[in-house]
Amino acid sequence: MTLPESPDAFKDATWEDILPYYEALASRPLDRSNVEAWLSDWSSFESLLSEAGALASFAYTCDTSDPAREEAQLRFGTQISPKARAQRVRLQERLVELAYERAGLETTVQRFRNQMELFSPANVPLFSELSKLETEWSKVNGAMTVEWDGGEKTPSQLLPFLQSNDRSLRERAFRMRANPYIEQRDMLADIFDRMYDLRQHVAHNAGFENFRDFIHREKNRFDYTPEDCIRFHEAVETAVLPAVKRIMDRRRRQMGLDVVRPWDVTADTRGRPALKPFEDIPTFIDRAGAVFGQVDPAFQTYYQSMADADLLDLDNRKGKAPGAYCQTLAFSKMPLIFMNAVGVDRDVSTLLHESGHAFHSLEASKLPLLFQRHPGSEMAEVASMSMELLAAPFIDRDSGGYYNPEDARRSRVELLEGIVLFFPHCASVDAFQHWIYLDKDGRDADARDRKWLELRTRFEGPSVDWTGLDAERIARWYQQPHFFGSPFYYIEYGIAQLGALQVWRNSLRDGGEAVGKYREALALGATRPLPELFKAAGARLIFDSDGMGELISLVEEQLSDLGG
């Protein structure tokens, strides 16, 4: 099989151009004497195709208003990717039937067997329709703007105003940021209704009663159960909610407020100007390299190679899809980073986070086969969340970073407080999805909104006063990309945050050893089961309130030391 020299060959490809490569792999004689060469050829082909699709997706999310980019995104998402899924199952069956296993391939074979069992030809067109709807959601979000002081801004561009010392300005920014989602709620709910129907149909075709149970298997979650997720939700109530109350009570006292309102959560409690880490995107990019070099010189080298290759699209602008992500270019063995920076402190932690994904990709790219490189998202998020914590001590200007010593301390306080406040959000997002796909009312838009309010009240408690803000609170779930584009991709963040806190705890004792173990775990890619990947990084899986509470106590101790 002669492969193209680069993914450019597939840039404008149709399914008819792609299918012959799968046919060649499916028809080639296969036995134990040539299976490694066959796997290598399959991996190389998938790397080319994957990179072509990744570049099309990246280009579209950078400008959702461009019809040509939308057409390319839809061609890969609705024509090529769903049909490629079916062809991969054919090839997976060949390897599994050969009963070929070796060191480093065990988890790959397990994953292939699982995907074979879940595959249904009837689902191919359904995945195509789901991809169309995801593109539709991105387009609606990318076009959102608000009128602000005589000009036009995206909702993300209002984030700096939420850190103003002017409380009335913060409130106005908070309400305005929610407005587009309130105004377009019916359109967004309709998109989700159609996604819901398709997802439940996918599950039924694969032999499952509901989409939750299907996706749990589809994500290869062999090391924990849906019941473990429920235990996680309960642990957040027990171990985290009291810490949230302490943080908010301290904020209320320091700000001299009767009650904390949602627009008070991100403002400085002592009336200092909001942290402003950079004035322009080139400065934002340049300083991060020195920060990573303080963690490990290899990380600075990795990061600089991405910057030199123009693989960082970091600024927010109209037409750009919301959110942030890191995507691997499998053939080039290079990652790219997409985000929406607007000049706030959170931009720094987001870049550290996505760069952790990038370093994971680069460490794992040394493995020979594409199938060995990408573990489940739980371990992928350990890579990213650990980097936020490992790099945080070096964001001061003396280390090459962004802040004077006092502002660096403030930033670290915000990071650690944000970790505590994250867990209630994580639990509510995951619990919401469990309910949606298990309860018949999950198909009802009004019932979904009521359930979201119920869960936010349960997991966030009364520390923040949301009186009169039901519409704005409901708008929050319509902003969450994972509900629309990556269903059930959220509990991973919680599991991973607990893993990352353990890596960080290790670094407080011995930074060099902790970073060394972290890199060793990243380099394993997907070659070991999840518990072993956590163990390699110096961590363990945690779902109980005791384990969660111990780590939250450590965070609170560090906050006290930092004067938070």
Side-chain angles (χ1 to χ4, degrees):
M1 183 173 65
T2 302
L3 291 173
E5 294 184 358
S6 82
D8 288 344
F10 294 143
K11 181 179 180 181
D12 300 312
T14 64
W15 176 243
E16 287 69 29
D17 300 317
I18 300 298
L19 179 59
Y21 294 95
Y22 282 113
E23 293 289 358
L25 287 161
S27 61
R28 182 192 301 184
L30 184 65
D31 56 39
R32 290 175 176 269
S33 69
N34 66 358
V35 63
E36 288 291 343
W38 181 81
L39 280 168
S40 179
D41 284 348
W42 181 16
S43 174
S44 296
F45 164 64
E46 293 284 9
S47 297
L48 287 161
L49 183 60
S50 169
E51 183 162 325
L55 288 171
S57 176
F58 177 60
Y60 175 66
T61 54
C62 287
D63 184 1
T64 60
S65 66
D66 186 327
R69 297 184 186 205
E70 181 179 358
E71 188 279 329
Q73 159 80 355
L74 286 170
R75 179 161 39 83
F76 275 97
T78 67
Q79 299 174 29
I80 293 175
S81 293
K83 293 176 181 177
R85 183 191 297 245
Q87 294 299 318
R88 290 186 191 111
V89 170
R90 291 176 65 195
L91 303 183
Q92 290 165 356
E93 288 173 345
R94 299 197 73 193
L95 183 68
V96 170
E97 289 171 0
L98 191 63
Y100 179 75
E101 292 194 23
R102 62 162 172 79
L105 208 62
E106 302 95 335
T107 53
T108 296
V109 173
Q110 181 191 51
R111 187 169 65 253
F112 284 179
R113 186 177 288 112
N114 184 52
Q115 291 170 355
M116 288 165 49
E117 292 171 356
L118 294 181
F119 177 74
S120 167
N123 282 337
V124 173
L126 302 186
F127 284 120
S128 177
E129 291 303 311
L130 281 166
S131 182
K132 289 179 184 177
L133 290 173
E134 183 181 349
T135 300
E136 183 178 340
W137 178 84
S138 294
K139 189 173 184 178
V140 170
N141 274 265
M144 285 182 176
T145 60
V146 298
E147 293 295 322
W148 183 265
D149 292 344
E152 185 179 61
K153 291 187 179 294
T154 67
S156 292
Q157 288 169 344
L158 297 182
L159 288 173
F161 299 102
L162 290 174
Q163 298 182 340
S164 170
N165 290 321
D166 182 338
R167 197 183 191 198
S168 63
L169 181 64
R170 294 199 305 269
E171 178 178 355
R172 183 159 66 96
F174 176 85
R175 292 180 183 274
M176 289 295 291
R177 188 164 181 265
N179 271 355
Y181 296 94
I182 295 171
E183 292 170 355
Q184 300 195 52
R185 178 266 189 188
D186 290 348
M187 180 185 298
L188 296 170
D190 175 67
I191 292 172
F192 190 85
D193 283 345
R194 287 179 281 156
M195 286 181 162
Y196 176 94
D197 292 340
L198 288 166
R199 287 169 179 164
Q200 296 286 43
H201 198 179
V202 163
H204 297 157
N205 287 343
F208 291 84
E209 290 187 9
N210 60 76
F211 185 69
R212 185 203 70 171
D213 293 347
F214 166 80
I215 204 71
H216 192 87
R217 274 287 305 277
E218 197 268 341
K219 285 178 173 287
N220 303 291
R221 290 176 174 171
F222 298 113
D223 302 298
Y224 63 95
T225 67
E227 289 69 35
D228 287 324
C229 298
I230 304 302
R231 285 204 298 138
F232 181 97
H233 305 161
E234 294 168 349
V236 168
E237 288 184 276
T238 303
V240 182
L241 206 52
V244 171
K245 184 179 186 304
R246 287 189 287 271
I247 289 173
M248 288 304 159
D249 282 349
R250 183 167 63 246
R251 173 169 289 274
R252 178 180 53 77
R253 291 193 304 270
Q254 291 175 348
M255 297 179 78
L257 302 172
D258 293 329
V259 294
V260 175
R261 298 285 269 166
W263 46 83
D264 299 320
V265 172
T266 54
D268 184 70
T269 58
R270 297 170 189 172
R272 293 165 294 189
L275 292 172
K276 191 169 180 60
F278 56 89
E279 293 291 342
D280 54 63
I281 294 297
T283 301
F284 181 37
I285 292 173
D286 290 344
R287 290 184 180 171
V291 174
F292 294 129
Q294 297 287 340
V295 182
D296 191 298
F299 295 147
Q300 183 172 11
T301 301
Y302 289 158
Y303 178 79
Q304 191 59 50
S305 68
M306 296 166 60
D308 291 343
D310 198 25
L311 293 174
L312 306 172
D313 190 304
L314 308 186
D315 60 312
N316 174 257
R317 55 186 179 271
K318 182 181 178 181
K320 193 173 182 180
Y325 63 79
C326 173
Q327 196 159 28
T328 297
L329 303 179
F331 178 77
S332 303
K333 295 185 177 180
M334 287 290 290
L336 55 81
I337 293 176
F338 169 99
M339 59 178 285
N340 282 274
V342 291
V344 297
D345 180 63
R346 184 59 190 165
D347 294 334
V348 175
S349 55
T350 298
L351 181 56
L352 300 182
H353 179 104
E354 299 304 339
S355 295
H357 284 309
F359 303 152
H360 195 181
S361 170
L362 287 159
E363 292 283 2
S365 70
K366 299 166 188 175
L367 293 163
L369 299 175
L370 176 65
F371 321 114
Q372 297 175 297
R373 298 174 196 158
H374 303 290
S377 40
E378 298 87 353
M379 188 59 200
E381 298 300 344
V382 169
S384 57
M385 291 175 161
S386 294
M387 184 52 58
E388 292 184 57
L389 289 160
L390 293 172
F394 309 111
I395 59 173
D396 59 284
R397 290 199 186 112
D398 288 345
S399 300
Y402 301 93
Y403 296 122
N404 62 41
E406 175 58 20
D407 285 349
R409 185 199 64 78
R410 286 177 59 192
S411 178
R412 293 179 67 187
V413 167
E414 288 187 16
L415 173 64
L416 293 175
E417 286 188 346
I419 287 172
V420 176
L421 300 178
F422 157 77
F423 281 104
H425 178 66
C426 177
S428 57
V429 168
D430 191 61
F432 188 48
Q433 297 198 85
H434 281 259
W435 175 84
I436 284 174
Y437 294 104
L438 293 179
D439 194 296
K440 61 181 177 57
D441 285 342
R443 179 56 172 79
D444 182 273
D446 292 335
R448 288 196 298 265
D449 291 350
R450 289 192 298 271
K451 188 66 177 183
W452 176 254
L453 291 175
E454 174 192 323
L455 290 170
R456 293 302 263 195
T457 300
R458 171 188 170 190
F459 289 113
E460 293 181 335
S463 299
V464 177
D465 181 8
W466 284 84
T467 302
L469 297 170
D470 281 358
E472 286 80 3
R473 204 173 197 180
I474 288 168
R476 181 62 183 88
W477 89 259
Y478 289 104
Q479 299 173 40
Q480 191 72 47
H482 303 76
F483 292 127
F484 294 85
S486 304
F488 283 93
Y489 189 162
Y490 220 80
I491 190 68
E492 295 95 326
Y493 289 116
I495 295 168
Q497 186 69 80
L498 295 171
L501 286 171
Q502 294 172 79
V503 172
W504 172 62
R505 179 178 60 190
N506 298 340
S507 76
L508 298 177
R509 300 167 183 161
D510 187 326
E513 181 181 3
V515 172
K517 285 182 175 292
Y518 169 75
R519 287 192 64 185
E520 289 172 9
L522 302 191
L524 290 171
T527 59
R528 305 308 306 152
L530 180 62
E532 292 184 31
L533 295 176
F534 265 57
K535 184 178 180 180
R540 68 179 179 89
L541 291 172
I542 291 175
F543 296 95
D544 62 283
S545 59
D546 288 343
M548 192 181 293
E550 179 185 348
L551 293 169
I552 294 298
S553 294
L554 175 62
V555 172
E556 291 196 281
E557 289 171 13
Q558 290 291 309
L559 281 169
S560 179
D561 291 345
L562 289 166

